[in-house]
Each structure stands twice: as structure tokens, then as C-alpha cells.
Amino acid sequence: MPGASEPVPWTALLPSGVDPPEIWNAVPSPPSLRVQIVLYRTPVDVLGRTVESASIAARRAQDAGAVDSTVIAVGDSSSSPVLGEQQARNLEAVAASAGVRLTYAFFQGNLGSAGGSNRLAEDAEEDLLLVLNPDTYSSPDLVSRLVAALEPGIAAVDARQIPLEHPKAYDVSTGDTSWASGACMLIRRAAFEAVGGFDTAHFFLHCDDVDLSWRLRIDGHRVVTAPRAVVFHDKRLDATGRSLAPEIERYHGVLGRLLLARRYDRPDILEATASWVRSRGADPQRRALAEFELRRDEGRLPEVIPEGGGVATFVNGNYALHRF
Amino acid sequence: MARYAFQYGPSTTYGRAKRLLDTAISPGGLVIDLGSGVSPLGPVLREAGFDYLAVDNDRVALEELSVRGDKVALVDLAVEDGIVSALESATGGEPVAAIVALDVIEHLLRPEAVLRELHRFAEGAGMPPLIVSIPNVAHYDLAAKLLLGRWDVTETGLLDVTHVSLFTGERVERVMSEAGWVERGRDDLVLHHSDQHEPANQPALAPGTPLSTLLTWLRGQADPYGRVNQFIRLYSWSPTLSGQSTAKEPSPPGVSVVVRTQGRRDDLLTDALLSLAAQTTSDFEIVLVVHDPRPEMVHRLRGLVGSFAPSFSRRVRILQVGHGGRARPLNAGLEAAAGDLIAFLDDDDVVMANWVETILDGGRERPGHVVRLLTADQKFVRGGAAARAPLEPISAPHVEVPRRRFDLIRHLATNRTPICSFAIPRRLVSDFGLRFREDLPVLEDWDLLLRASVICGVHDTDTTAALYRRWTDGSASFDSESREAWRTARASVHMHLDRLPLLLPPGSVSRLVELQATARKTSPAAKPAAPRPAPAAELAELSARHAKLQQENRMLERRIGQLETSTSWRLTAPIRWLLDRARGRR
């Protein structure tokens, strides 16, 4: 692209007396992009669709000048590799047909979504990270529209999910929202690294994205939703309209909640959650409470951020106001 | 005595064949009458200025004709590879003006081969037109009796004991075209009651019974030949299509998804297409019908579709429908669909990843049924073009539990099945002529579902696989005009269904009795069973009068047939001809 320059290390841009957060916004235009997908027993055909659509979206963003180059980094948290050698090469070819490079790494251990994302970002040099669930299908303009929403001061943007839109509210004039969903989240890598990425010491699955979003906001950044950036996320409902959530979500949902309540200085929420679990909780939820108490006894809970840093939101069991 | 000796008359097979002949060629030249039997055509054609040659394998019949003064030739059409040389020698290699083959093809064991040989002969004989008459084995009378286990072979007639090749309308069209004959005209003989209309008091045959009414309607949906006794068709010679196309037809997709759009909201249409692109299976095609005449609309939508991965976009066909009401594009989609099942998606709805898979599974579990699935309803408000979001949800997705099982009786009163939650077997479209009613301004999908489910029944998959968006824009709530249109459409749907007997699924008797009991309970000022409401009574009376008129019509038909073949009719022909001329008729 004419006029594109090599990424400049942030230290060279640091004049004296300027607050560091503003520097993170000085990315060269157009930015480079790293799409990160963490697998766990993902069927190969599902992954194929995810990669194919993400490649198309990245390609279109490149053609529109919104991003410079893209790499798709796939990390496998499964107990045995999802992709054999030939399959990995086929997947690389799918991405390559859209002009996108793909890497596949088998983690040899279940790092969870938080750990997987951090591992994939470890050697990243790109300006932007797009954290993407393996059960998503990108709309053709997803990447362009996410990047367009990344105005100065904003560190993370999430997309509108279909068919089941996330109920969390956002400011209709600015897009500001309490937290960005890790199913499809575009983040400035510099900001991500400055806050230490996902907190893998405490979070494994669920609430890791809430926690990251709140730490970014405490660090002075905004987190927004871009509803015109659309991603299909394969969530389903049962015949009575209830969400089909796997058991594991119930465990991590409670554990994450307890950890958030702890870190963000809400002992009232902590206590209410614990007592609810004790009286009405199902098995996975009780086990989560037990795990939390174990960590507490072993002194492994996160440090409290007084008053939740002014950003933490706990409303009706959710981490944002919900529209419905 | 020859086997067949029929009279000539204007509305008989011979008369119709003569009329078709007159449309094809002017008098003069040789007409070959294949399988003539003791045909009355000789004198008629000679009088009209033609030469006549009767061809048959029946010596006795040819003797009789010979005595009468006709030229004859003995040829056995069953020896196919001798046909061309036999006819060439019979005609002395002279050009032929026309060939008629009336009620002979059904007597041949290998009609396709004979027709091809005729085609070869005709090529060297001046490419004459061919007129055939073939009895219709799919006449209603035969179909109705076959359902009851009867196949009454007779000496002569539709099930003549010597008929060895049986033809439906479809077979006639296919066989003739494959042998290189192109249809140019037709004058099919329609008989409401064929010679197979016996016993006349059989409920499947007797007019007006629910059984015969329903069966007649069904038969009529499949093709227009339910009462055709004989196919009488005129063909012109054309260079044969080189056999069947050898290119292997791609196997049809399991599902065709018809998406109609007016192309006004690209953002919402993108949502719909995205949800289709994300399906767990690729065994489906999309027929995107643009309801707008402007070429730039198609161009723009092609671009939109093309922005998706090729593995998806190559399964999307774009059709354009310039005019007509809401149902016109849906019908265009139905007619273009190739999948075994046809599903529908409005351009402002979305489906879950397992939508097509659920339909496919349902079709495998219960073939031939309408497949039904559940939708979650969610209320939305549309965002304007400049709004941050193209739409805003204002309620949580909600599945209506009472709608889980399809109940035809309840559905007659109220629709509980959004268009994205059912798929119909394509056979309904191809074999039963099922189409959306284009005269309905609204409720066209409900009407189609009712008509489809009456024939096919409904298989409930009990799986939530679609999201039905209820638009609740503050302004456009149901205004009085649209309420009126809705009421009228609903009444029209009911009225159309009321014209026919209704097939109700098992269990319906108890439901109806129960409903009546409930109705009586809720109006305790118990009037005795109310008299049938006026419109139904009028309808019944009109039906009865119609049936009577039809019967009178059929009697007249028979009488005309008798008159035309009577001696006195034929003798007075010249007088009638003069009178017609005087009245300025041809």
C-alpha cells in the first residue's frame, strides 16, 4: 500500500510529559491484524467455515485499505489435535486463497480461552488482535467495520451477534458499553499488553472478557460495541426457548462471577452468590463455589480493586445493564 | 368382419384429426392413414382433394376399404426395421402430404421405435406433419377405479384389450418429442364420462360425493388431462434431438430456500444471508427473488451476494420479478426451486445454524410431509439508515409453547407458523400444481400452509431453529386499512377452502366434538343447534345447481355425438354447409 510504513516501536514516540495511554492510540495506518482462534474439540468442518469467512472478511478489509496485512493464528487447547498435518495444510490453503496467512499450533494442554488467547498473542507483532470464537461465521464487512469503530481512545470493540443478539446495553450515540464479548472482540495489542492481557491466573473460561474489558477501562480506555459489524455466533435455543448452555458454563459462570465480585470490590455480590449456590445451586455451581473457597483458603484470589475502579457493573446477575 | 368400424363426425376423433390437418396443409397430396382399420377417412379426404392411402396389417379391413375404392397397403408396424422400406415402396417414393396415426400407437409394443422409424421415413418423404390420437390412461375414471382395485379391460374403449402401450399426457409429450416431433396443435377429445364410467353409482365416480369431488380436484391439480379421453395432436417434423443429454444432471440440493426481497434494506438482508451462509450443512441452494423491475437492483444484489465466500455465493441464484403482488416472487421462487424440500426466509428474519439441517432431518424422518420447526419470537424496532444499529431488540427471544404441535383445526382459525418455520415437499409444486395465491394481499403463507398440510400432513421436528423478528415500529401498528385487508384476506382463505371437502388428520373427530361442547358451554342461553350460517347454505345450493348443469351438459355431449354419427346428419351436411355460408360462417 503506498504510504504504509513499518510499525514504529512505541518508545520512539514517547516525548516527555505525555501520558502513556494516549501513545497507544498512535498506531500506523492502516494497522496490521492478527485473528486469534482458540479451539477445543472443534469439529473440522466448523473450523473450516470460521476460517473461510474470517479470511474473506480480512481480505475485504485489506482491499478497502482498512488493514494492512492479516495473519490468522489458530491455537488448539484440545487433548489431542483437532487437525492432522494434511488438514492443517488444507486450512492454510483456505486462508491463502484469500491472501491471508494461517498458523496452527497445538498447545498440548487445555489453556482455556483466556490462556489460549494470551498464548497466541505472545509473539504477536500486529497492531490489532481479533479474538474470535471457533463457532462464529464472519460477515464480509466484519473486519472493516470493527476497525472503523476503533477511534482514538477506544481499545476494544465487539460486534453485533446474530441470530441471538447479546442483551447488554450500549450508549446509542457513542457505542460505549460495559464490556466487550470475547466471541468477537477487536483489541489494540498495545493496550492489551499494557494491562497484561487476559488474567489467566484467575480466569479460564467466561468472565475473562468482562475482566479484561474492565481493566482496559480502568487504564483509561473506552470499550464500545459496533452494531453494524455483524458476526454469526452459533448459539441455539431449546424447544421452550431456553438457551442451550453446556454444563461447563454453569461451573465457570459461577466461578467467574465470584472472582469478579472479589476483584471489583463487591463483597455483597459475593455473599449473595455464595448463599444462592449453597441453597439452590446445581452440582457444577457448588463445585465452583468450592473451588473459590479453596483458592481463598490458599490465598490465591485476585487483589481487590477498591470500588471496582469505578467501572465495574453488577446488575441483576449481569455485568451490564441489559436491554431485554 | 373387421375389428373396428367407426363413423366419421365433426367431433369424433376423425373429425378432429381432419380439422388439425386443415390447419397444417392445404388440400392436395397424399395422406397416409397408418393403422387405418376400416377407416371412414378415405372418402372424406378424397372429397377434400387429397389422395388417400390406408396402411394396416389387417387384411380383412384393407379388403373392405379396397372394395370401397381406397388405395391400401399391407404393412406390419410391429416389424420396425421394415417400416421405412415398406412405406417407401407403398408410396412409390413419392412425397407425402401428411401422416395420420389414429389410435394405433397404443397397439404397438415399441411405440418409441416406430415413431423414430416414421421420423426417418418422413425425412425422405418431404417431412410431412403427423397427426396422432392416443387414448389417455390417466383419465379420472380409470384413476378413480384403480384406487379401488379395478382395472376393467373391455373389447373397445380406453382399456381396449389390445392396448399394450399405455399413455399419459406426460408420456405422449415426452415420447413424441424424443422421436423428433414438435407439437403444433391439439384438439383433445374431452369426455367427462368415458366408457370406463361404470358403475355410475360408484362413490368415487358419482358426481357430487365428497370422495369424487376431492379426487377430481386432486387429479385436476396434477395436469389438465383428467377428463381427456384421447390426446389428438398435430406434430411437425424436426431434426431429432441427439438422444438424451449425456451430460450428467447435477443432483438436486436437499433444500431450496426462497428469499424474497425488495432490495430496500441491505443491512437486514445481509443478516439473513449471513445466517444462511453459517449453516451447518451446505446441501441447499438459495433462490433470491428480487421484487423490483430495475436492472440495477439485481446488479447491486449480485455484488452483495458476491461479497460472501464462493462456497456460499455459488449456491445463490438471483431471479427478478418486476410486477405482481407479494406472492408473485414467492411463486417465481417455487417454480425455480430444484430442492426436494422448499423453505422460505423473509429478508428481515434470521435462522439458527441448524435450520437447514433440521429441515433435512425432518424430510428424511417423514418423507412427503410438510416439515415444521419452531421459531423464537423477538420484538425489534428498525433503526434508521443513520442509526448506530440497523435494528434494536426490545424483548427477549420467546418460544410460544402452545405452538409446539401443529394442530390443523386451530390453524384454520389462526396461523401459528411463521413462513420461516415450515418447508414443503417440492412434489406439491411439481405434481400438484401448488402455488401461492397471488390474489391475496396478506396471509398468502398461511393459505399455502393450510393447503399443503391438508394433502401432506405436518411433521413436527420440535426444534427451535429460526428467529422471527416482530417489527414494532411505533408508527406502523395495524391501521384500520390493513386490519380491513387482513379480515378480507382471512375470509377469502376460508371461502376457498370451503369449496372443497377437507381432509382432517386422525384425532380430528374428537377435537371437533370437544370444540362444539366448549362452544355450547360458553353460550349457556342454549339455543338449539344453530342453523347453518347463510353463506354455507348458499354455497351448497350453488354447488348443487352447478352439478346439475354439468350433468345436463354431459347428456348433451353424448347426444351431439350420436347425432353427428347418424345417417340423417351426414345426409344433411350439404344443406348445413350452405346455411353456414349464408350466415357468414366458415
Side-chain angles (χ1 to χ4, degrees):
Chain A
M1 286 239 24
S5 50
E6 285 297 303
V8 177
W10 67 269
T11 45
L13 293 173
L14 194 66
S16 52
V18 178
D19 279 343
E22 284 175 349
I23 297 306
W24 308 140
N25 298 320
V27 287
S29 172
S32 54
L33 173 68
R34 181 183 196 85
V35 180
Q36 306 193 160
I37 305 172
V38 178
L39 312 181
Y40 185 72
R41 296 189 189 163
T42 310
V44 176
D45 58 317
V46 171
L47 179 59
R49 281 193 295 276
T50 309
V51 164
E52 184 185 44
S53 58
S55 305
I56 300 271
R59 178 56 198 239
R60 286 176 64 80
Q62 276 171 215
D63 291 346
V67 303
D68 181 22
S69 64
T70 305
V71 74
I72 298 181
V74 178
D76 195 346
S77 262
S78 318
S79 45
S80 61
V82 161
L83 298 180
E85 226 184 278
Q86 185 56 51
Q87 289 168 321
R89 274 203 285 276
N90 292 345
L91 202 64
E92 284 166 19
V94 167
S97 67
V100 170
R101 193 165 66 87
L102 181 140
T103 63
Y104 168 74
F106 177 60
F107 291 148
Q108 297 184 323
N110 186 359
L111 306 181
S113 62
S117 295
N118 278 9
R119 173 73 69 85
L120 287 174
E122 244 167 40
D123 58 349
E125 288 173 347
E126 291 76 15
D127 306 306
L128 304 177
L129 304 174
L130 177 58
V131 175
L132 198 60
N133 259 30
D135 59 350
T136 58
Y137 193 101
S138 305
S139 62
D141 290 332
L142 173 68
V143 173
S144 310
R145 292 185 182 185
L146 284 173
V147 172
L150 207 60
E151 291 163 11
I154 297 173
V157 187
D158 69 0
R160 175 168 63 90
Q161 296 181 30
I162 65 164
L164 298 169
E165 195 167 328
H166 198 288
K168 66 180 168 69
Y170 60 90
D171 185 315
V172 291
S173 46
T174 64
D176 283 82
T177 188
S178 170
W179 58 280
S181 164
C184 178
M185 181 202 297
L186 181 71
I187 321 169
R188 292 182 191 276
R189 184 175 60 84
F192 179 80
E193 285 177 358
V195 297
F198 288 100
D199 179 3
T200 56
H202 301 108
F203 297 94
F204 183 77
L205 276 180
H206 300 294
C207 302
D208 54 342
D209 46 2
V210 179
D211 174 69
L212 172 68
S213 301
W214 286 350
R215 283 186 288 111
L216 284 169
R217 288 174 59 202
I218 289 170
D219 209 36
H221 304 280
R222 289 169 57 206
V223 168
V224 304
T225 278
R228 288 199 180 260
V230 190
V231 71
F232 185 97
H233 188 191
D234 185 2
K235 285 191 146 340
R236 306 183 192 179
L237 301 173
D238 69 15
T240 64
R242 275 196 301 265
S243 184
L244 283 169
E247 274 239 330
I248 199 169
E249 274 186 32
R250 297 215 278 179
Y251 174 88
H252 287 287
V254 161
L255 183 56
R257 180 172 184 71
L258 293 166
L259 291 166
L260 286 175
R262 155 72 186 191
R263 166 171 271 160
Y264 294 95
D265 198 14
R266 291 296 300 268
D268 58 322
I269 301 276
L270 213 162
E271 189 41 48
T273 307
S275 88
W276 182 91
V277 170
R278 278 184 214 113
S279 65
R280 300 218 306 255
D283 266 343
Q285 294 162 328
R286 287 174 193 280
R287 283 188 282 113
L289 177 59
E291 171 64 22
F292 179 82
E293 285 166 347
L294 176 67
R295 293 187 194 185
R296 184 194 56 205
D297 296 341
E298 292 177 357
R300 289 191 285 123
L301 290 182
E303 289 297 310
V304 176
I305 300 173
E307 290 175 359
V311 304
T313 312
F314 292 84
V315 181
N316 286 338
N318 301 314
Y319 309 115
L321 261 174
H322 279 198
R323 293 171 288 166
F324 55 87
Chain B
M1 175 53 202
R3 185 176 171 68
Y4 302 112
F6 297 115
Q7 305 283 26
Y8 181 89
S11 73
T12 62
T13 304
Y14 299 112
R16 290 163 191 264
K18 169 73 173 42
R19 267 203 303 282
L20 284 173
L21 185 70
D22 290 339
T23 65
I25 55 177
S26 32
L30 175 66
V31 177
I32 301 181
D33 187 355
L34 287 180
S36 61
V38 184
S39 166
L41 274 180
V44 172
L45 288 176
R46 276 199 299 278
E47 198 184 308
F50 293 99
D51 273 338
Y52 176 77
L53 173 67
V55 172
D56 205 302
N57 66 349
D58 179 353
R59 270 179 207 286
V60 175
L62 291 183
E63 274 284 320
E64 254 188 71
L65 289 182
S66 215
V67 160
R68 193 174 68 190
D70 291 331
K71 273 196 298 210
V72 305
L74 187 72
V75 174
D76 190 354
L77 294 176
V79 182
E80 292 110 25
D81 50 14
I83 289 175
V84 175
S85 50
L87 288 176
E88 275 171 356
S89 100
T91 59
E94 294 296 306
V96 171
I99 306 173
V100 300
L102 305 181
D103 293 310
V104 60
I105 287 170
E106 65 274 20
H107 296 271
L108 302 169
L109 274 174
R110 286 177 292 271
E112 291 89 350
V114 173
L115 286 163
R116 275 198 300 274
E117 290 303 304
L118 274 181
H119 185 267
R120 219 159 50 85
F121 164 71
E123 186 177 1
M127 298 174 229
L130 168 65
I131 296 168
V132 305
S133 95
I134 304 175
N136 178 18
V137 77
H139 189 283
Y140 176 81
D141 293 338
L142 288 175
K145 292 205 296 184
L146 195 55
L147 271 177
L148 303 166
R150 290 182 66 143
W151 189 252
D152 298 334
V153 173
T154 52
E155 278 300 305
T156 62
L158 278 181
L159 288 186
D160 181 314
V161 65
T162 61
H163 287 178
V164 295
S165 284
L166 304 176
F167 284 82
T168 59
E170 185 272 332
R171 189 178 181 203
V172 168
E173 284 168 25
R174 188 173 28 92
V175 163
M176 294 306 296
S177 104
E178 280 173 12
W181 298 99
V182 173
E183 187 185 321
R184 293 289 179 219
R186 53 170 71 175
D187 194 359
D188 294 347
L189 176 61
V190 171
L191 283 183
H192 265 88
H193 293 167
S194 69
D195 69 282
Q196 284 287 329
H197 190 83
E198 286 297 321
N201 60 0
Q202 161 58 257
L205 295 179
T209 65
L211 182 60
S212 71
T213 309
L214 183 70
L215 290 176
T216 301
W217 174 75
L218 272 174
R219 178 65 188 86
Q221 297 298 110
D223 70 28
Y225 309 129
R227 302 285 181 181
V228 166
N229 201 71
Q230 267 149 303
F231 302 107
I232 302 173
R233 306 276 169 95
L234 165 72
Y235 296 90
S236 68
W237 189 94
S238 96
T240 323
L241 310 156
S242 48
Q244 283 296 70
S245 84
T246 47
K248 200 169 170 297
E249 289 280 343
S251 53
V255 175
S256 290
V257 180
V258 175
V259 180
R260 75 179 148 178
T261 183
Q262 292 182 310
R264 293 201 195 132
R265 294 297 303 264
D266 281 4
D267 42 16
L268 297 178
L269 176 60
T270 303
D271 276 8
L273 292 175
L274 180 62
S275 70
L276 290 175
Q279 291 298 297
T280 53
T281 171
S282 56
D283 187 13
F284 68 104
E285 63 164 2
I286 296 106
V287 182
L288 179 62
V289 191
V290 183
H291 200 192
D292 187 295
R294 293 171 289 170
E296 60 265 28
M297 295 294 270
V298 173
H299 187 72
R300 209 185 74 244
L301 287 177
R302 230 174 240 137
L304 177 62
V305 169
S307 67
F308 284 81
S311 61
F312 172 72
S313 59
R314 66 167 169 251
R315 290 183 284 124
V316 180
R317 279 189 285 155
I318 302 181
L319 303 182
Q320 184 168 31
V321 166
H323 309 285
R326 282 162 53 100
R328 182 83 276 279
L330 291 175
N331 278 338
L334 279 188
E335 283 153 20
D340 292 331
L341 286 159
I342 306 178
F344 307 92
L345 185 62
D346 279 340
D347 65 351
D348 57 2
D349 284 326
V350 287
V351 292
M352 286 161 204
N354 58 337
W355 187 64
V356 176
E357 185 187 301
T358 302
I359 292 169
L360 284 170
D361 287 346
R364 273 190 289 268
E365 279 154 19
R366 299 292 293 278
H369 284 64
V370 172
V371 177
R372 183 169 179 269
L373 44 95
L374 300 171
T375 50
D377 279 17
Q378 191 172 18
K379 296 200 184 98
F380 283 84
V381 180
R382 277 177 234 264
R388 183 161 288 267
L391 75 176
E392 271 298 330
I394 59 173
S395 77
H398 166 71
V399 177
E400 192 77 48
V401 172
R403 289 204 223 136
R404 278 177 81 165
R405 294 273 170 269
F406 181 80
D407 180 336
L408 175 59
I409 293 171
R410 289 190 96 138
H411 267 74
L412 289 173
T414 318
N415 192 11
R416 293 154 180 270
T417 305
I419 201 173
C420 52
S421 53
F422 70 92
I424 59 172
R426 193 173 52 84
R427 286 275 163 212
L428 276 177
V429 175
S430 60
D431 295 356
F432 286 91
L434 184 78
R435 298 290 188 278
F436 288 91
R437 276 181 57 191
E438 294 188 14
D439 59 322
L440 286 174
V442 286
L443 304 180
E444 70 280 7
D445 55 328
W446 175 50
D447 171 74
L448 186 96
L449 172 64
L450 290 175
R451 285 185 287 125
S453 62
V454 159
I455 295 179
C456 294
V458 173
H459 171 51
D460 276 309
T461 59
D462 207 30
T463 304
T464 304
L467 188 83
Y468 181 61
R469 289 177 172 158
R470 285 194 187 276
W471 299 103
T472 59
D473 301 278
S475 55
S477 48
F478 243 170
D479 59 27
S480 62
E481 194 187 301
S482 44
R483 263 202 300 273
E484 191 50 45
W486 189 91
R487 264 200 293 268
T488 312
R490 187 167 179 270
S492 175
V493 169
H494 288 153
M495 210 168 67
H496 272 241
L497 286 171
D498 257 342
R499 286 183 191 160
L500 291 169
L502 189 69
L503 275 176
L504 291 177
S508 297
V509 169
S510 310
R511 290 282 333 279
L512 287 169
V513 169
E514 187 191 305
L515 281 168
Q516 287 206 51
T518 312
R520 272 201 296 276
K521 261 188 257 170
T522 58
S523 50
K527 288 174 264 185
R532 276 191 316 166
E538 276 166 27
L539 200 62
E541 203 209 302
L542 280 168
S543 293
R545 275 203 285 160
H546 184 233
K548 191 154 178 295
L549 281 167
Q550 274 188 318
Q551 212 175 357
E552 281 166 18
N553 197 30
R554 284 193 280 278
M555 273 178 6
L556 286 168
E557 258 178 27
R558 273 201 294 277
R559 191 81 187 102
I560 289 172
Q562 284 164 358
L563 277 171
E564 282 180 352
T565 54
S566 75
T567 317
S568 58
W569 179 266
R570 282 184 288 130
L571 284 176
T572 53
I575 302 169
R576 287 197 310 283
W577 183 84
L578 282 170
L579 286 174
D580 279 345
R581 290 288 295 239
R583 287 180 195 133
R585 280 189 228 143
R586 198 190 143 268

